[in-house]
Amino acid sequence: MVLKIRKATAADEPAVSHICLVTADAGKSAEELFQNKELPGLVYAVPYLHLSSAYRFVLVDINDENDQVQEEKVVGYVVGSTNCRAFEKDATENWWPKIQARYPHPPEDSKEQYTGAEWYYFDTIAQPPTTGQEVVDIYQAFLHINILKPYRGKGWGSKLIRTAAEEAKSEGGKGLWVGIDSKNDEGRKFYLAIGFERMESKEGEYYGLDVDKYLNR
């Protein structure tokens, strides 16, 4: 077993979508919450594999035992953009219209047919949110990161964050931010432990990272 980080491609979509699903409930699996199991990935992971305004990397587990043909399994990812507003514009033009056509918002009188999680994603797809200006004023670059549970706690999360930090710095960024589910205690502890700091926002829970400080640690 050998782990490495490589650039992601559109061919990684099934694996990335699955990882997003099994970490979508505040870091735990959300499989039981969705009839349409691609919904979390379509919002928070898959668009980054296709849009030119995004960066995309995956963590892969390579099995090359007994000199057999190498088999590669995607076990984590970090995706995002070095320019939040450019990404939002790109997604508005090139991503959301086709997803809205695939998943038109169900009528209100059918709400009881869906879980609360599904309804949240229908709302999000119908009216994609934009990041608060108070966050973007501090850092333009941002990330989404997820790793399958068996591969956590081994330092690869920090390495994926480093990859994102290098992307931000290469575009002149001073830092990057991440938004988390307020119920995700494990994620919060991870971000604080590696140097993220709480950012003021009325719209959610955000943490920012000074990339120079992080890369020079």
Side-chain angles (χ1 to χ4, degrees):
M1 180 178 70
V2 177
L3 295 177
K4 74 172 186 179
I5 297 169
R6 65 161 171 80
K7 285 190 175 183
T9 71
D12 295 313
E13 179 174 332
V16 167
S17 180
H18 173 73
I19 293 170
C20 190
L21 173 67
V22 299
T23 56
D25 186 12
K28 302 185 295 294
S29 178
E31 290 177 281
E32 295 183 357
L33 301 178
F34 293 92
Q35 301 171 61
N36 300 298
K37 299 185 186 301
E38 67 175 354
L39 283 173
L42 290 176
V43 172
Y44 289 117
V46 174
Y48 300 89
L49 303 182
H50 298 280
L51 297 178
S52 61
S53 58
Y55 64 80
R56 57 202 74 92
F57 295 90
V58 287
L59 175 64
V60 295
D61 182 348
I62 302 172
N63 182 350
D64 57 356
E65 295 180 358
N66 301 320
D67 296 324
Q68 296 178 351
V69 176
Q70 289 188 349
E71 295 183 355
E72 185 182 270
K73 176 184 178 183
V74 176
V75 298
Y77 63 82
V78 63
V79 296
S81 175
T82 60
N83 187 319
C84 177
R85 294 300 187 226
F87 173 80
E88 290 172 348
K89 182 176 185 295
D90 192 3
T92 296
E93 296 173 353
N94 301 305
W95 182 255
W96 294 120
K98 60 185 178 184
I99 304 306
Q100 289 161 349
R102 190 187 308 180
Y103 285 103
H105 199 292
E108 288 294 326
D109 60 9
S110 68
K111 191 171 184 178
E112 63 183 20
Q113 300 175 26
Y114 303 96
T115 66
E118 286 179 308
W119 202 257
Y120 165 81
Y121 280 91
F122 291 142
D123 284 346
T124 301
I125 290 169
Q127 293 185 313
T130 57
T131 304
Q133 191 61 41
E134 70 277 8
V135 173
V136 178
D137 281 344
I138 300 173
Y139 296 136
Q140 278 282 334
F142 68 95
L143 65 90
H144 295 285
I145 180 174
N146 278 305
I147 301 176
L148 293 178
K149 193 169 184 179
Y151 297 87
R152 298 176 193 170
K154 304 178 187 301
W156 286 100
S158 297
K159 291 177 182 178
L160 286 171
I161 296 290
R162 175 170 288 272
T163 302
E166 289 170 344
E167 284 290 307
K169 185 172 183 177
S170 72
E171 295 295 325
K174 300 298 183 182
L176 48 80
W177 56 262
V178 63
I180 73 166
D181 185 324
S182 61
K183 302 187 297 295
N184 191 348
D185 295 332
E186 181 179 332
R188 183 183 300 106
K189 290 177 183 177
F190 166 71
Y191 293 123
L192 291 174
I194 64 173
F196 280 81
E197 297 180 351
R198 182 73 181 259
M199 303 173 73
E200 292 297 324
S201 175
K202 299 176 181 179
E203 300 180 5
E205 189 169 347
Y206 292 88
Y207 293 85
L209 182 73
D210 182 306
V211 296
D212 281 333
K213 288 182 180 178
Y214 186 68
L215 293 174
N216 292 328
R217 287 172 62 178

